Amino acid sequence: MRGVVFDGTQPQVVDDLEIRDPGPGEVLVAVAAAGLCHSDLSVIDGTIPFPVPVVLGHEGAGVVEAVGAGVGHVAPGDHVSLSTLANCGACADCDRGRPTMCRKAIGRPGRPFSRGGEPLFQFASNSAFAERTIVKAVQAVKIPSDLPLTSAALIGCGVLTGVGAVLNRAKVDRGDTVVVIGTGGIGLNVIQGARIAGASAIVAVDSNPVKEAVARQFGATDFLTSAQGVREILPTGADQVFECVGHVGLIRQAIELLDRHGQAILLGMPAATAEASFVPAGMFLDKSILGCRYGSSRPQHDIALYAELYRQGRLLLDELVTETYPIEDFAKAADDAHHGRVARGVLTF
């Protein structure tokens, strides 16, 4: 079968992948579409260290082909959106409704794929850049069959992370003022999450002026090409500032833009050894810096919720898909994503 493999030097599209049968508590999914996220590019450029060879991809949707023993919530033929969260469901964090903190879901890549007899790692417990993948049952979330799979693919990472950061982690309230630094796939979902939450002002900041139209489409009330102008719109600062780029200088800016009792939420992924600095004295006015993993999501609950909001016309998904590419055009899709030409490119099989 076809898939995208990174060998530590370069990614390549191959057609000789093999995958084992699903075991107990596992689901085999025929992937129909997969979004290309910057996290995939970060594995390639080394920003995210990951063992190789690895089958890339982590934002996908498809149709269940087979299930292992003990799986009852999905069946062959069901449409599913895939999460990356292979949480155990039994630890203290899972029991408290914090599956993103499950220690068994972090840093334990499996190897369900093989190529020429050599096992390959699975990226983010998902590897959606393959015609078929195996996930834990908890990662396969049933969705309505009338939801386009090219759009449903984006729920499993970009939407869960961006909208979830707003609703679950920051808990943006009606009337809050919000600044979103970076309007890529994650930033656009932060913007629409803030709109859904009822924010009174949503200021989008991106150095690329071409992105203004789509930022406003998703809910931005203002658009700036530099954070320097935020204080002209919000003189006392913002209640919530989301950094969606992963640049240490922008992290400092996010903190400096906070109003009293404000929160800076860090979503961008800097290099593993990067360090950020800020002036501590400004934090004593009850300000907070919040890390956020995967939108602090509960995928089985949240994906179903977002699918329903999409059907109601409140959550934009189709509009996130800038372009679709056959899997063979992975190199073009990666180049477009790297240069910011697309909000989200989607690979199809």
Side-chain angles (χ1 to χ4, degrees), residues 293-339:
R293 180 171 189 257
Y294 203 42
S296 301
S297 298
R298 295 170 294 161
Q300 286 288 338
H301 171 275
D302 291 354
I303 289 176
L305 169 63
Y306 299 154
E308 181 57 30
L309 291 177
Y310 166 81
R311 298 176 86 188
Q312 294 174 7
R314 298 170 61 192
L315 183 80
L316 305 182
L317 291 180
D318 302 340
E319 295 81 359
L320 283 168
V321 183
T322 311
E323 189 166 348
T324 58
Y325 310 80
I327 189 67
E328 290 78 10
D329 287 348
F330 173 78
K332 183 180 187 305
D335 188 65
D336 286 348
H338 177 71
H339 288 96

Side-chain angles (χ1 to χ4, degrees), residues 22 59 89 115 174 238:
E59 185 181 71
R115 186 181 179 217
R174 288 169 296 178

Side-chain angles (χ1 to χ4, degrees), residues 148-164:
L149 290 172
T150 49
S151 298
L154 304 185
I155 300 178
C157 178
V159 177
L160 278 177
T161 300
V163 178

Side-chain angles (χ1 to χ4, degrees), residues 236-248:
T236 62
D239 296 312
Q240 318 275 354
V241 181
F242 295 81
E243 201 282 340
C244 305
V245 179
H247 187 284
V248 294

Side-chain angles (χ1 to χ4, degrees), residues 17 34 38 92 95 99 113 121 208 239 243 247 264 267 276 280:
L17 280 180
H38 278 278
D95 191 52
F113 300 97
F121 287 100
N208 186 351
D239 296 312
E243 201 282 340
H247 187 284
L267 296 179

Side-chain angles (χ1 to χ4, degrees), residues 133-151:
T133 192
I134 285 178
V135 296
K136 290 182 65 172
V138 71
Q139 296 175 256
V141 184
K142 187 175 179 179
I143 57 174
S145 59
D146 60 353
L147 202 163
L149 290 172
T150 49
S151 298

Side-chain angles (χ1 to χ4, degrees), residues 51-73:
V52 294
V54 57
V55 180
L56 295 175
H58 65 285
E59 185 181 71
V63 180
V64 174
E65 274 200 356
V67 300
V71 177
H73 74 293

